[in-house]
Amino acid sequence: PATFSTKGLVLKVVDTAAKFVVDPNSAYFGTADSYQKFDKRLKSGGKSSSKNNLTLTLPSDGTLKVYARTGSSSATNRNVILTQNDAELANKILLESEAVSVNMLVDGVEVAKKVYPAVSVAVKAGDVSITYPAGSINFYGFEFVAAGTTGISDIQAPKSSKDGATFNLLGQKVANDAKGIVIKNGKKFINK
């Protein structure tokens, strides 16, 4: 559909060029210590124009987070611009190199995954224009936290990046069978 809405937020998609596609694709966003996984993305299919753009209508003042990556892992010039009432709120080049590598458990096996940063800005109630003048951007999610609230409902709690990992008393990650006093899942153990 041309418009998506939930909990007072309205995302209007202008796609007269038929370039937008929603498809399954997973990516992690946040920090090395706190992140969340998204399983779908909205592919813009090209740079923004009068035929291809997004507008997000917000019900109140607050903070907006945009979870997005470039449409090309080698791109170094693709940016997302957020404007409201003709004022630029953010103009962020999305670089794959800004992702951090995080070891996490996937199906019981520890693997390294990239975690990408979000674009976060203070916003007022009303329309926020989202443009991407240099090339295709993949949007994974939009999160809005109203001013004066402490959180947002219906979001999965971020997964800890240290589940099952073992550390020494200096906080350094060590093998599960390392000798001495170790910390695992917040508890101290003595490995002999």
Side-chain angles (χ1 to χ4, degrees), residues 9 11 28-30 36 38 42 54-56 58 63-70 79-83 89-92 94 98 116-123 128-132 137-145:
L9 300 177
L11 177 64
Y28 294 86
F29 287 88
Q36 57 191 20
F38 293 87
L42 174 64
L54 302 169
T55 302
L56 188 61
L58 307 170
T63 302
L64 175 64
K65 288 185 180 181
V66 177
Y67 301 99
R69 293 179 52 202
T70 67
N79 58 328
V80 170
I81 301 173
L82 305 176
T83 56
L89 303 175
N91 185 341
K92 175 72 174 130
L94 303 174
E98 289 183 334
Y116 299 90
V119 177
S120 183
V121 294
V123 292
V128 174
S129 174
I130 303 167
T131 57
Y132 33 95
I137 299 293
N138 298 324
F139 295 96
Y140 287 82
F142 301 93
E143 179 180 351
F144 175 70
V145 178

Side-chain angles (χ1 to χ4, degrees), residues 53-113:
N53 61 70
L54 302 169
T55 302
L56 188 61
T57 303
L58 307 170
S60 62
D61 296 357
T63 302
L64 175 64
K65 288 185 180 181
V66 177
Y67 301 99
R69 293 179 52 202
T70 67
S72 167
S73 60
S74 62
T76 58
N77 66 337
R78 297 195 186 176
N79 58 328
V80 170
I81 301 173
L82 305 176
T83 56
Q84 189 173 42
N85 301 324
D86 296 321
E88 188 172 275
L89 303 175
N91 185 341
K92 175 72 174 130
I93 294 178
L94 303 174
L95 298 171
E96 293 287 311
S97 61
E98 289 183 334
V100 295
S101 182
V102 175
N103 290 333
M104 58 183 78
L105 289 176
V106 177
D107 297 325
V109 177
E110 189 172 303
V111 294
K113 295 280 187 180

